[in-house]
Amino acid sequence: MPEIIFLGRSNVGKSSLINNLTNSNIAKVSQVPGKTQLINFFNVDNKFYLVDLPGYGYAKVNKEKRDEWNREIILYIKNRPNIAAIFFLLDIRRVPSSDDKDVLALLKEREQKEDFAKILYVLTKADKLSKNELQKQKGIIATELFVNQMDMIPYSVLSKVGKDVVLRELNSSLL
Ligand code: GDP
């Protein structure tokens, strides 16, 4: 079955997003970060999987461990044949980290090579910024990542902003 991947640094709001999209509580929110490093597969109606990859870049583990996690994630993305879309999550308030950039570089490489899964940029916790600040951060993140601002989707699990766009993109990636 096709896989829809969710990926982002630890604490970015990945579990919250998955729960919000599925109107459920399937993903664990605010577990001790860095503790469980599992890939979780959520089977949706026997039609596709939502794949929750472990959050990378957790600050409190050493660099060796962080690199190991990044490698695991990269291996997964490189080797899975059935990835239909990748939701790449970024905290709207932060400048992308070097881990973000490393992982994204790999995704882009694969995107170009094989007419592969579309990458969608979800800017989480959008409710924490005013409209003006939100526009400004969008610009900063887009510049840092060499991504078109139009491809970035501000999201909030509280206000539900972005939910319709993400669901639409998810559906169209499965067609
Ligand atoms: P994960 O480690 O990426 O799975 O992140 P979580 O989903 O556990 O979220 C980390 C923290 O951010 C939790 O305290 C969430 O309640 C909070 N959070 C996630 N999404 C949002 C959002 O859209 N708005 C706000 N205000 N907080 C959020």
Side-chain angles (χ1 to χ4, degrees), residues 93-112:
R93 298 164 303 169
R94 288 170 176 251
V95 177
S97 67
S98 58
D99 285 315
D100 288 326
K101 288 178 182 171
D102 289 350
V103 174
L104 183 58
L106 173 102
L107 296 183
K108 283 186 175 171
E109 198 183 293
R110 192 160 171 189
E111 188 184 40
Q112 277 160 14

Side-chain angles (χ1 to χ4, degrees), residues 11-12 89-94 122-125 137 141:
N11 212 38
V12 70
L89 278 62
L90 296 145
D91 187 318
I92 197 159
R93 298 164 303 169
R94 288 170 176 251
V122 179
L123 308 185
T124 62
K125 313 185 191 183
Q137 274 305 109
I141 295 169

Side-chain angles (χ1 to χ4, degrees), residues 4 9 22 26 34 53 74 88 131 135:
I4 308 287
R9 68 190 285 181
T22 52
I26 50 175
L53 287 180
I74 285 165
F88 188 70
K131 266 205 168 125
Q135 276 312 113

Side-chain angles (χ1 to χ4, degrees), residues 34-63:
K35 209 176 170 193
T36 329
Q37 289 299 310
L38 298 173
I39 298 176
N40 291 307
F41 294 85
F42 303 111
N43 179 330
V44 181
D45 298 335
N46 281 332
K47 292 199 172 97
F48 62 93
Y49 286 110
L50 296 182
V51 181
D52 182 6
L53 287 180
Y56 54 79
Y58 177 52
K60 286 194 183 153
V61 299
N62 62 31
K63 176 149 179 12

